[in-house]
Amino acid sequence: MTTLTTEQRRRDFEAMLKRANRVRAAGQERLEMFPEADGLMLARLTEEVSDLCRGWHEAAHRASLGTLAPYTVGQVKKHAIQVAAHSLAALRDRTTEGYLAPIREMGHQLDDRDLGMDPAERIGWLLSTLGDLGTCYHRNLDPNGSITVFRLRSLTVEALCAALAADRGLWQEEA
């Protein structure tokens, strides 16, 4: 089992969240010039989650064979950060007041998602969270849209945990 303490895991999560927020902020100017409809944002998130899942599967397979290249690791981390950054952008558009604080709180309850797990389980969590988001993205099931906001936060946390696990080289479930 990884010897990371809970405090180290929290610090790592916070650092990865800051990185995703910088990516979101860097892309903000471009996005304001070309505002996207909600449907396009969801389509882009779907494509990025798909790229992340495909990359994770390939990296886990290569790691099991001992042929994992640094480029592959970099690509998986890039996809994970993109998913998190675009989820943050969607959150900011839906709830401008303190959208990062609840993610930090969720990150403090990582449930080992930032550690090693079976690749199919990690991919399953990402796809399940995306599916949950997709079912409520356009239909605000409550007046404040809080269900959509919660689902976006969950996808952000899943993506950040994938980025952390990739950064640590944890492609397979730990013994």
Side-chain angles (χ1 to χ4, degrees):
M1 189 70 161
T2 300
T3 58
L4 294 168
T5 66
T6 302
E7 188 55 38
Q8 288 170 316
R9 291 172 62 210
R10 286 179 182 171
R11 276 196 312 266
D12 290 350
F13 182 87
E14 184 73 22
M16 198 62 75
L17 176 59
K18 287 178 183 175
R19 182 175 172 190
N21 198 40
R22 283 194 304 270
V23 169
R24 181 211 51 83
Q28 184 57 38
E29 187 175 304
R30 183 185 59 79
L31 289 177
E32 287 174 356
M33 291 170 38
F34 304 102
E36 297 177 332
D38 270 355
L40 289 176
M41 176 64 86
L42 183 59
R44 181 173 60 186
L45 274 172
T46 301
E47 182 178 25
E48 290 170 350
V49 169
S50 172
D51 290 342
L52 172 55
C53 291
R54 184 176 27 259
W56 196 276
H57 173 74
E58 180 183 339
H61 177 69
R62 288 178 182 250
S64 70
L65 299 175
T67 61
L68 183 60
Y71 174 79
T72 305
V73 175
Q75 285 296 101
V76 171
K77 285 171 40 180
K78 176 186 160 201
H79 290 310
I81 292 295
Q82 283 179 331
V83 169
H86 290 137
S87 296
L88 287 173
L91 273 170
R92 186 225 38 241
D93 293 344
R94 290 183 183 271
T95 174
T96 56
E97 295 180 13
Y99 61 94
L100 290 177
I103 293 171
R104 287 185 175 104
E105 291 168 15
M106 292 176 77
H108 289 216
Q109 302 157 355
L110 295 170
D111 297 329
D112 296 335
R113 295 240 200 323
D114 62 324
L115 300 176
M117 66 171 60
D118 183 82
E121 185 178 353
R122 183 169 308 279
I123 290 168
W125 276 108
L126 286 161
L127 293 175
S128 175
T129 306
L130 176 66
D132 290 343
L133 172 61
T135 61
C136 68
Y137 202 76
H138 291 300
R139 294 179 287 147
N140 284 332
L141 303 176
D142 61 87
N144 301 330
S146 62
I147 293 173
T148 303
V149 167
F150 177 78
R151 302 290 191 227
L152 278 166
R153 287 179 188 151
S154 297
L155 183 58
T156 305
V157 170
E158 292 294 339
L160 290 172
C161 287
L164 286 167
D167 197 43
R168 295 175 182 142
L170 300 174
W171 302 105
Q172 302 286 342
E173 188 169 14
E174 296 183 306

